[in-house]
């Protein structure tokens, strides 16, 4: 019984949150990896593009709420996502047309494009702050819990409750659908194959008659889908605050590089690697050991490897370790 | 010549704007802007040496700057004796443990061939080391942070003159640069940027959350200064005389003695902050000049650009 309690405890505090957080990171990491693989630069505006998409989704959510449209037990924001994606795609194309296109056509070095993306980051951040403001916003409505801790306790008669938030389930399900569609698109359709060819060898792809303009446009559209959905899922699960999104950029980068940059599957798994190690290393295991060990050996301290303040530092340290031992990432991306 | 003219024009426009602020707002604000400009100039020249001459991009400059701030606290603040007696031994012990871990990892790296087993050994050393350090340091940290938490709650520094913190800060930054160089110099330019950014974020996270070291995000007030404090300056004889001499024209217009005294006091208060800022300006300017010379020397060395090198 104690053993079961311990497992439920780990599930509740580590496995489920890490899975949800990992999915959110994974979508962001695929976004970074796609831009890197096809447009060949490190996009520092990742976090802020996600916050821009989320902002539009929130505005649509408010509009739908005001006219009384809702999805019942599901959050209204899910209904707003398609509209937000349209606007986000438009924004991406405008930015690409006015900013990135010039440098791409001039074949500027990647550093220059990265610097340009920092500029885009600041502009996007400012736009978001002007439109919706820097404060913390919750836009979740609908049923909050799928399983409540108390109900679970009553159902199973265990000491530990397992609470599963509906946002966590939504996050995981949406991520799985999105990522599998994306992989199907990249591997099976003609457009996806030409995108991969373009990412592999630009000149060869051009010679075989692939239209670079079309590839770039489709890449930005996919990027818009990923950024909006990733941002909305994160916002639903936690809350929307532009500064948090900006901060999330760094773990997302870490996930993309750990997985092997330029490799979408690597980025997908990289997100989970980062999320699980962040939570595993900063969780206080005191209660877990109280269940597992006999009473005489009960621990005094919190049994915490690192304090939770260092959550971000953990992901950065993993990145450093990966860069040291396997510069191409765990799943063999491009060698940096 | 044309290029020089541009530079002169740009600088004179900037100077003119600062002087305008001085005339229309106050010299105090103008001097603060000027000092901020000088500080940024020093940092920019650092970035220029690194990126411009050596071709090594660095997004983590604020991490290095934070280490400079850390040095200022560690050098100049008086040691908190109670905190040292409460948890000093634990902290020192953990410091030795960290050095021990580093030496052990180095020993393993030197002694054994590159293999999977070696990696596992290193991982075991580091993880067990972290666990031991936490066990050792935790009671010490708690004890230190409990000592008068509203005012101190940290170990304090060495109580030396603050000028030394420049030297020590330089060594700290050099140490961090060594670590970054070891880890990340092989990366391509844009990923070097990300790596430096992340490493400096780690440094900032540590400084922010280790309250026993520099009070974390809380303020450390009353740092020693290379320039005098305004309050002390306002009571010194020669300074009041100086201000009186400086403003004698304006003061002569006021006939009433008490009013004159009030006006003089006002001038002394304003003058003191201007004087302190001028002291800082001189200090920063010499610093600027020195790093500018460094810049031109290293450009003579012509390190060459190698931003695509591996």
């Amino acid at each position: 019984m104690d053993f079961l309690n311990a497992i439920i405890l780990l599930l509740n505090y580590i496995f489920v949150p890490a899975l949800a957080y990992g999915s959110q990171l994974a979508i962001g990491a695929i976004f970074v990896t796609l831009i890197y693989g096809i447009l060949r630069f490190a996009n520092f505006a990742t976090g802020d593009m996600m916050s821009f998409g989320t902002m539009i989704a929130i505005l649509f959510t408010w509009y739908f709420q005001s006219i009384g449209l809702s999805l019942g037990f599901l959050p209204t924001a899910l209904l707003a996502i398609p509209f937000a994606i349209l606007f986000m795609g438009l924004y991406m194309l405008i930015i690409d047309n006015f900013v990135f296109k010039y440098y791409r056509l001039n074949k500027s070095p990647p550093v220059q494009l990265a610097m340009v993306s920092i500029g885009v980051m600041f502009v996007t951040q400012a736009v978001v702050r002007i439109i919706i403001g820097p404060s913390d916003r919750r836009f979740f409505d609908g049923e909050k819990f799928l399983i409540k801790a108390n109900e679970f306790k009553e159902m199973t008669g265990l000491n530990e409750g397992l609470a599963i938030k509906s946002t966590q389930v939504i996050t995981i399900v949406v991520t799985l659908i999105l990522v599998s569609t994306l992989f199907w698109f990249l591997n099976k359709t003609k457009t996806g194959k030409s995108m991969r060819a373009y990412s592999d060898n630009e000149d060869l792809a051009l010679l075989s008659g692939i239209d670079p303009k079309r590839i770039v446009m489709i890449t930005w559209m996919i990027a818009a889908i990923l950024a909006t959905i990733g941002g909305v899922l994160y916002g639903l699960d936690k809350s929307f605050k532009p500064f948090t999104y900006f901060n999330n950029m760094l773990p997302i980068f870490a996930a993309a590089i750990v997985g092997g940059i330029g490799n979408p599957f690597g980025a997908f798994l990289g997100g989970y690697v980062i999320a699980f190690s962040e939570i595993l290393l900063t969780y206080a295991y005191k209660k877990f050991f109280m269940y597992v060990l006999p009473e005489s050996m009960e621990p005094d301290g919190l049994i915490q490897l690192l304090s939770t303040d260092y959550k971000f530092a953990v992901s950065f340290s993993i990145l450093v370790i990966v860069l040291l031992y396997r510069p191409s990432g765990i799943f063999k991306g491009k060698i940096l | 010549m044309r290029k020089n003219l541009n530079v002169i024009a740009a600088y004179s426009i900037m100077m003119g704007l600062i002087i305008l602020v001085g005339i229309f707002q106050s010299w105090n604000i103008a001097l603060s802007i000027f000092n901020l400009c000088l500080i940024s100039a020093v940092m920019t020249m650092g970035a220029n040496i690194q990126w411009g001459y050596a071709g090594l991009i660095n997004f983590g400059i604020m991490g290095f700057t934070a280490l400079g701030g850390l040095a200022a606290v560690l050098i100049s603040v008086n040691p908190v004796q109670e905190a040292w007696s409460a948890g000093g031994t634990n902290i020192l012990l953990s410091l030795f443990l960290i050095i021990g871990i580093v030496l052990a990892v180095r020993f393993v790296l030197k002694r054994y061939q590159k293999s999977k087993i070696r990696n596992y050994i290193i991982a075991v050393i580091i993880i067990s080391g972290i666990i031991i350090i936490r066990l050792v340091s935790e009671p010490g940290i708690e004890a230190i942070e409990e000592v008068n938490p509203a005012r101190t709650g940290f170990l304090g520094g060495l109580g030396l003159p603050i000028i030394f913190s420049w030297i020590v800060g330089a060594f700290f930054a050099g140490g961090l640069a060594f670590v970054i160089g070891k880890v990340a110099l092989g990366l391509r330019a844009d990923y070097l940027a990300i790596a430096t950014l992340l490493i400096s974020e780690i440094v900032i996270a540590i400084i922010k959350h280790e309250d026993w070291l520099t009070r974390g995000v809380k303020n450390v007030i009353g740092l020693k200064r290379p320039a005098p404090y305004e309050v002390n300056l306002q009571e010194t004889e020669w300074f009041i005389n100086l201000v009186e001499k400086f403003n004698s024209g304006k003061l002569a217009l006021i006939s009433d003695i008490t009013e004159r005294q009030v006006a003089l006091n006002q001038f002394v208060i304003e003058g003191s902050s201007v004087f302190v800022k001028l002291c800082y300006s001189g200090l920063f300017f010499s610093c600027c000049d020195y790093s500018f010379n460094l810049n031109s020397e290293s450009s003579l060395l012509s390190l060459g650009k190698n931003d695509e090198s591996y």
Side-chain angles (χ1 to χ4, degrees):
Chain A
M1 207 58 161
D2 274 353
F3 188 67
L4 257 179
N5 270 329
I7 286 180
I8 295 295
L9 185 79
L10 289 190
L11 271 181
N12 191 22
Y13 287 105
I14 294 181
F15 190 74
V16 176
L19 210 58
Y21 179 49
S23 310
Q24 290 144 7
L25 283 186
I27 294 178
I30 294 174
F31 173 70
V32 168
T33 277
L34 266 187
I35 300 282
Y36 181 85
I38 292 164
L39 304 173
R40 295 193 167 74
F41 70 91
N43 185 9
F44 278 89
T46 309
D48 290 291
M49 283 176 171
M50 286 168 99
S51 86
F52 190 87
T54 317
M55 176 194 71
I56 299 172
I58 292 176
L59 294 180
F60 270 106
T61 312
W62 286 345
Y63 174 67
F64 289 146
Q65 281 170 349
S66 72
I67 60 171
L69 208 63
S70 78
L71 282 178
F73 63 96
L74 288 172
T76 321
L78 288 183
L79 201 64
I81 283 178
F83 300 93
I85 286 173
L86 280 183
F87 275 83
M88 189 67 202
L90 201 67
Y91 182 73
M92 294 272 203
L93 288 182
I94 289 171
I95 281 188
D96 182 65
N97 213 12
F98 282 106
V99 186
F100 290 126
K101 194 177 168 193
Y102 173 81
Y103 295 92
R104 191 170 55 243
L105 295 182
N106 280 351
K107 295 224 179 285
S108 308
V111 192
Q112 213 165 354
L113 271 161
M115 295 301 283
V116 168
S117 78
I118 290 181
V120 171
M121 171 188 97
F122 282 124
V123 171
T124 316
Q125 210 169 52
V127 169
V128 171
R129 278 167 198 226
I130 288 169
I131 295 179
I132 204 166
S135 54
D136 211 349
R137 277 169 210 285
R138 293 179 175 277
F139 55 103
F140 176 77
D141 49 1
E143 203 70 44
K144 188 143 196 207
F145 285 99
L146 209 67
I147 303 175
K148 279 185 188 156
N150 286 337
E151 287 172 8
F152 185 84
K153 276 185 206 168
E154 274 170 28
M155 234 159 53
T156 54
L158 290 172
N159 277 337
E160 282 302 317
L162 177 66
I164 297 180
K165 284 201 279 183
S166 56
T167 50
Q168 288 166 336
V169 179
I170 291 171
T171 303
I172 294 164
V173 170
V174 171
T175 308
L176 283 181
I177 294 171
L178 181 69
V179 170
S180 44
T181 332
L182 183 71
F183 287 145
W184 170 80
F185 175 78
L186 285 177
N187 291 321
K188 291 279 155 28
T189 61
K190 209 175 166 194
T191 325
K193 278 181 188 163
S194 61
M195 274 171 75
R196 276 170 51 219
Y198 187 81
S199 142
D200 248 12
N201 188 333
E202 197 181 337
D203 296 327
L204 218 57
L206 292 180
L207 277 179
S208 48
I210 292 171
D211 180 13
K213 276 182 197 157
R214 199 164 147 263
I215 297 290
V216 168
M217 203 185 82
I218 291 171
T219 309
W220 279 118
M221 289 318 291
I222 296 175
I225 295 172
L226 288 170
T228 315
I229 295 183
V232 170
L233 290 179
Y234 186 85
L236 280 177
D237 197 24
K238 276 114 191 174
S239 69
F240 173 76
K241 191 178 182 190
F243 187 69
T244 341
Y245 278 68
F246 165 68
N247 262 347
N248 271 346
M249 178 189 83
L250 294 173
I252 285 174
F253 261 119
I257 295 175
V258 165
I261 194 99
N263 177 348
F265 186 68
F268 177 62
L269 285 183
Y272 291 107
V273 170
I274 294 289
F276 271 94
S277 43
E278 268 188 18
I279 293 179
L280 278 175
L281 285 179
T282 55
Y283 180 67
Y285 288 96
K286 184 180 180 182
K287 236 179 163 184
F288 174 72
F289 283 115
M290 273 166 66
Y291 281 123
V292 177
L293 296 177
E295 224 162 273
S296 54
M297 284 169 69
E298 245 169 50
D300 317 316
L302 286 170
I303 319 286
Q304 196 179 14
L305 267 181
L306 288 165
S307 78
T308 34
D309 303 325
Y310 291 118
K311 237 181 188 177
F312 277 135
V314 169
S315 59
F316 306 159
S317 315
I318 290 169
L319 177 66
V320 169
I321 292 167
V322 166
L323 287 177
L324 265 174
Y325 280 98
R326 220 184 151 93
S328 59
I330 298 175
F331 297 100
K332 279 278 169 207
K334 289 180 180 165
I335 293 167
L336 302 176
Chain B
M1 198 57 212
R2 180 83 201 278
K3 203 174 150 197
N4 266 341
L5 266 180
N6 276 345
V7 172
I8 291 169
Y11 273 98
S12 34
I13 289 173
M14 204 177 74
M15 226 38 224
L17 285 176
I18 291 175
I19 289 171
L20 279 180
V21 170
I23 292 170
F24 288 111
Q25 286 181 284
S26 82
W27 287 106
N28 202 355
I29 298 175
L31 277 174
S32 348
I33 296 173
F34 183 62
N35 283 347
L36 214 60
C37 289
L38 286 175
I39 294 172
S40 315
V42 173
M43 293 207 268
T44 317
M45 277 190 269
N48 184 40
I49 288 182
Q50 221 173 3
W51 196 0
Y53 299 148
L56 299 169
I57 196 169
N58 182 6
F59 278 12
I61 292 176
M62 283 336 274
F64 292 86
T65 315
L67 280 181
L70 176 73
V73 173
L74 288 188
I75 292 300
S76 75
V77 176
N78 289 325
V80 182
Q81 297 297 349
E82 293 167 60
W84 272 106
S85 54
T89 44
N90 289 45
I91 296 293
L92 281 180
L93 207 61
S94 343
L95 189 69
F96 285 126
L97 275 172
I98 291 175
I99 296 171
I101 291 172
V102 173
L103 288 180
V105 170
R106 269 191 72 90
F107 176 76
V108 172
L109 280 175
K110 277 233 167 103
R111 187 71 190 275
Y112 296 102
Q113 293 286 315
K114 201 171 186 174
S115 66
K116 266 198 176 153
I117 300 167
R118 190 179 77 166
N119 293 349
Y120 290 137
I121 293 174
I122 291 174
V124 167
I125 289 176
I126 290 176
I127 291 175
S128 55
I130 289 175
I131 294 172
I132 295 170
I133 286 176
R134 264 196 86 83
L135 286 180
V136 171
S137 67
E138 210 156 354
I141 289 173
E142 263 167 36
I144 289 169
E145 282 171 7
E146 234 140 69
V147 178
N148 196 359
R151 279 196 61 83
T152 56
F154 71 129
L155 278 179
L158 297 173
L160 296 172
I162 196 163
I163 287 288
F164 287 124
S165 61
W166 258 340
I167 302 163
V168 176
F171 275 109
F172 282 176
L176 178 62
F178 180 78
V179 172
I180 291 181
K182 271 271 179 200
V183 174
L185 266 195
L187 298 174
R188 224 187 59 184
D190 42 349
Y191 284 88
L192 182 62
I194 297 170
T196 49
L197 183 63
L198 293 181
I199 293 173
S200 81
E201 284 293 320
I202 296 177
V203 170
I204 292 172
I206 291 173
I207 296 179
K208 252 163 105 174
H209 297 303
E210 295 300 332
D211 280 11
W212 57 271
L213 191 61
T214 54
R215 301 196 78 208
V217 290
K218 288 168 276 184
N219 286 335
V220 178
I221 47 167
L223 279 181
K224 288 177 192 166
R225 286 171 161 192
Y229 266 99
E230 285 93 340
V231 186
N232 302 335
L233 206 57
Q234 284 156 19
E235 287 161 4
T236 1
E237 193 77 26
W238 63 267
F239 183 73
I240 298 175
N241 288 338
L242 187 76
V243 172
E244 206 171 359
K245 213 181 240 174
F246 220 72
N247 293 306
S248 54
K250 280 183 199 165
L251 285 173
L253 290 175
I254 306 167
S255 52
D256 189 47
I257 288 179
T258 44
E259 254 180 53
R260 198 151 131 193
Q261 197 56 43
V262 170
L264 179 63
N265 274 344
Q266 198 55 44
F267 281 131
V268 166
I269 288 169
E270 272 169 27
S272 63
S273 60
V274 169
F275 181 81
V276 168
K277 291 211 166 90
L278 273 177
C279 288
Y280 275 122
S281 301
L283 203 63
F284 294 152
F285 204 76
S286 56
C287 190
C288 240
D289 189 50
Y290 176 69
S291 46
F292 187 72
N293 285 337
L294 257 183
N295 249 319
S296 17
E297 267 168 38
S298 44
S299 72
L300 285 179
L301 287 174
S302 80
L303 286 161
K305 293 183 195 289
N306 57 339
D307 64 344
E308 287 293 322
S309 70
Y310 287 83

